[in-house]
Amino acid sequence: MPGIKGPSDYSQEPPRHPSLQINSKVPFNAEPPRSALASSYVTPVDLFYKRNHGPIPLVDDIDRMLPKYNVTATLQCAGNRRTAMSKTRKVRGVGWDVSAIGNAVWGGAKLADVLELIGIPKLTCSTQSGGKHVEFVSIDKCKEENGGPYKASIPLSQATNPEADVLLAYEMNEEPLNRDHGYPLRVIVPGVIGARSVKWLDSINIIAEECQGFFMQKDYKMFPPSVDWDNINWSTRRPQMDFPVQSVICSLEDVQSIKPGKVTISGYAVSGGGRGIERVDISIDGGKTWLEASRSQKTGAPYIADHVSSDKWAWVLFEVTVDIPYSTEIVAKAVDSAANVQPENVQDIWNLRGILNTSWHRVQVRVGHSNM
């Protein structure tokens, strides 16, 4: 595994794109403008959201011996759209808007191949010594671990399944990973919240129980609205893995002034666990009536929500052109291939950490008014 090349402190942070919206400087957390997301199926590296828990490590390069696989997969922070949830009731966490998400072509070795090299066959649920989970330990040190390393785990059955496409990745969009995104080696766990795709990978452990790290046991868990910080019991919930179906309008801001006439509404839709997007519905009257948007992945190719003709781990981009003669609320909701639908109201899914806000996405358009 890679070794630390130099001290990790905030004095040696890498340069970042000037259009990123910074949510916190230390540690650095930022997202691109929402308009940038819908303009490209594959998100440019410099416009991919940055999620960090500490300073960016300086790390030596690695040797690459196993066959390289490319997997197109969307990563989404569990806190995406947290800001909107916090308007219902206060939550704790980085104040993400709608762009803590991105889609990239990840290149690297399949974890199933790596584990097979050390004697763990593919499609293994448990080792002879009782190992049932694979733990990823980062070089990254963070305060939540009392200065120890960031870490997370996934089930061994997932890690050893070649169809799960878990990668030890060293490339992003056909280029070596940059420092923000885990150079020289990171984990990519497709279909799962971004917190499990550990960056700056230092070691891999086969363990009997789930990783006991902070971000597995005392964060990124989904609690009901009745639970608050005075009555929380972290042990009553499992660590969040798959993310629910999600869609966001990227062509319009939360409140935007427009001229009356034709308006193109576009954005992204995605679901976890390899589930495709069966439909994206758009309403221009606040949810009273609906029309279906077109969906696409690769340019010029029709999108079908199956694992044969689509990138099963990746988002789809949607688009529809409508006539908007008056001020109104525009709403988007998606349906995945398992018929899961986004919930209508954020109040129903409020949780104290503000994760997994997948409620209908709503924007207000004001026709004939000056810009806000």
Side-chain angles (χ1 to χ4, degrees):
M1 288 296 177
I4 297 176
K5 187 167 68 174
S8 294
D9 60 49
Y10 292 106
S11 67
Q12 303 187 62
E13 294 286 284
R16 275 93 178 209
H17 197 279
S19 71
L20 291 175
Q21 300 168 0
I22 299 173
N23 296 321
S24 73
K25 291 184 178 180
V26 178
F28 188 83
N29 289 284
E31 59 188 305
R34 67 177 69 179
S35 58
L37 293 183
S39 63
S40 176
Y41 173 58
V42 174
T43 309
V45 173
D46 56 357
L47 293 177
F48 210 96
Y49 77 98
K50 320 297 183 195
R51 176 66 173 114
N52 298 298
H53 297 90
I56 308 300
L58 286 165
V59 189
D60 290 322
D61 203 356
I62 55 168
D63 294 325
R64 303 169 179 86
M65 296 179 292
L66 290 170
K68 188 187 86 169
Y69 289 87
N70 284 333
V71 175
T72 304
T74 297
L75 289 190
Q76 178 177 214
C77 179
N80 194 27
R81 300 181 62 198
R82 178 179 284 130
T83 297
M85 184 175 281
S86 69
K87 293 176 181 177
T88 297
R89 281 164 58 193
K90 185 178 179 180
V91 299
R92 292 184 187 176
V94 176
W96 297 109
D97 187 33
V98 301
S99 302
I101 188 171
N103 191 52
V105 180
W106 307 97
K110 285 201 176 184
L111 179 58
D113 291 344
V114 174
L115 295 177
E116 193 169 48
L117 281 180
I118 62 169
I120 302 176
K122 292 182 171 67
L123 304 177
T124 296
C125 294
S126 178
T127 65
Q128 290 184 347
S129 59
K132 295 181 179 179
H133 299 266
V134 179
E135 180 183 61
F136 310 114
V137 182
S138 176
I139 292 171
D140 183 26
K141 304 296 191 293
C142 48
K143 64 180 182 179
E144 292 87 352
E145 295 285 3
N146 297 315
Y150 184 99
K151 50 190 173 181
S153 67
I154 63 173
L156 182 63
S157 57
Q158 182 179 12
T160 58
N161 182 358
E163 296 301 314
D165 289 330
V166 181
L167 290 184
L168 302 185
Y170 46 80
E171 288 184 359
M172 181 180 182
N173 295 349
E174 304 294 339
E175 296 180 354
L177 289 171
N178 68 19
R179 288 180 60 209
D180 263 324
H181 295 292
Y183 173 87
L185 191 68
R186 69 170 299 166
V187 184
I188 295 294
V189 187
V192 168
I193 64 170
R196 313 308 176 210
S197 290
V198 173
K199 296 187 286 187
W200 310 293
L201 185 63
D202 183 40
S203 61
I204 298 173
N205 303 313
I206 310 301
I207 55 179
E209 305 293 336
E210 287 171 346
C211 168
Q212 296 302 299
F214 179 91
F215 295 100
M216 288 288 289
Q217 300 303 326
K218 292 191 175 181
D219 203 352
Y220 298 123
K221 293 184 177 184
M222 187 68 167
F223 286 89
S226 58
V227 173
D228 215 327
W229 294 104
D230 57 356
N231 64 352
I232 190 170
N233 182 350
W234 289 101
S235 66
T236 62
R237 293 294 185 275
R238 300 292 302 278
Q240 185 67 39
M241 300 303 280
D242 288 8
F243 53 82
V245 62
Q246 172 79 285
S247 70
V248 163
I249 297 167
C250 295
S251 55
L252 297 166
E253 297 299 319
D254 288 342
V255 180
Q256 185 160 339
S257 296
I258 62 172
K259 296 179 180 179
K262 297 292 184 182
V263 175
T264 296
I265 301 166
S266 61
Y268 65 78
V270 66
S271 192
R275 295 178 292 275
I277 298 298
E278 188 64 33
R279 199 175 76 239
V280 178
D281 297 327
I282 301 295
S283 173
I284 60 171
D285 55 14
K288 296 176 183 176
T289 61
W290 301 89
L291 52 102
E292 187 173 350
S294 64
R295 296 158 295 146
S296 65
Q297 283 186 334
K298 302 177 182 70
T299 303
Y303 172 77
I304 302 173
D306 61 31
H307 292 174
V308 177
S309 54
S310 67
D311 292 330
K312 66 179 179 178
W313 306 113
W315 65 15
V316 303
L317 301 180
F318 67 82
E319 182 175 306
V320 65
T321 300
V322 295
D323 188 59
I324 306 290
Y326 47 77
S327 299
T328 188
E329 180 181 66
I330 300 176
V331 185
K333 66 176 173 71
V335 182
D336 72 16
S337 56
N340 299 306
V341 187
Q342 291 176 250
E344 180 176 355
N345 297 310
V346 65
Q347 295 91 334
D348 297 335
I349 55 172
W350 182 93
N351 60 91
L352 74 175
R353 273 290 279 120
I355 66 169
L356 305 182
N357 179 9
T358 57
S359 59
W360 293 3
H361 189 226
R362 305 168 185 268
V363 298
Q364 310 293 325
V365 292
R366 297 180 178 178
V367 173
H369 295 301
S370 61
N371 289 329
M372 296 290 291

